[in-house]
């Protein structure tokens, strides 16, 4: 069971996973050593599964951000999964969904040409509906 201190630690690590344990301890009203011990316990218990970085895709040249609802042609999904594995440079996330469609792809593309090529290949396996991101609201 997590207590309020654990929740503070998780919140602070979510903002900055590279925070120094001394600083994390100050935010959680602990010593640096006690904060490190709590983090180690959260990791051991599987509450913290890992750490990651947030990449600015635009700085990498991927200016087109799109969400694509995928409607598979038939019940066999393996050809679609094989296609997705070959497109990991564009696909940020692949979600299995209920409701409108079978899967929801979150993608980034350097240009409309790359997006169009991706959609032509995708159409071999599925129908789709695309929504492009105009602006991220905070």
């Amino acid at each position: 069971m997590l207590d309020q201190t654990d929740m503070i630690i998780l919140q602070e690590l979510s903002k900055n996973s590279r925070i120094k344990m001394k600083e994390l301890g100050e935010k959680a009203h602990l010593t640096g050593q006690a904060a490190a011990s709590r983090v180690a316990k959260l990791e051991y218990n599987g509450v913290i599964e890992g750490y990651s970085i947030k990449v600015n895709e635009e700085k990498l040249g991927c200016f087109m951000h799109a969400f694509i609802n995928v409607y598979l042609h038939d019940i066999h999904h393996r050809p679609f999964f094989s296609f997705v594995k070959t497109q990991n440079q564009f696909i940020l996330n692949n979600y299995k969904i209920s409701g409108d469609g079978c899967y929801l792809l979150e993608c980034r593309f350097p240009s409309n040409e790359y997006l169009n090529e991706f959609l032509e290949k995708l159409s071999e396996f599925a129908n789709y509906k695309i929504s492009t991101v105009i602006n991220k609201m905070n």
Side-chain angles (χ1 to χ4, degrees), residues 2-49:
L2 300 180
D3 63 15
Q4 187 62 29
T5 302
D6 290 330
M7 297 305 291
I8 292 169
I9 289 171
L10 292 174
Q11 182 180 22
E12 293 302 322
L13 286 173
S14 294
K15 291 180 199 171
N16 177 10
S17 62
R18 294 180 52 141
I19 191 171
K20 301 232 183 298
M21 288 298 123
K22 181 179 180 189
E23 185 180 346
L24 179 61
E26 289 170 2
K27 291 180 183 267
H29 306 292
L30 299 169
T31 65
Q33 185 176 1
S37 177
R38 289 271 191 134
V39 169
K41 183 178 175 187
L42 290 167
E43 291 171 343
Y44 178 80
N45 290 329
V47 175
I48 297 175
E49 294 181 339

Side-chain angles (χ1 to χ4, degrees), residues 2 21 29 44 59 75 78 81 83 85-86 90 129 133:
L2 300 180
M21 288 298 123
H29 306 292
Y44 178 80
K59 298 228 184 220
I75 61 171
R78 287 182 193 226
F81 294 144
F83 167 74
K85 286 181 183 177
T86 68
F90 302 122
K129 183 169 55 175
V133 175

Side-chain angles (χ1 to χ4, degrees), residues 61-64 90 108-117:
C62 293
F63 301 103
M64 297 288 307
F90 302 122
R108 285 276 195 171
F109 301 94
S111 67
N112 281 331
E113 289 78 20
Y114 281 92
L115 170 60
N116 187 55
E117 184 178 320

Side-chain angles (χ1 to χ4, degrees), residues 93-105:
N93 292 296
N94 177 15
Y95 304 101
K96 184 174 185 170
I97 60 172
S98 65
D100 193 24
C102 302
Y103 296 93
L104 178 66
L105 300 178

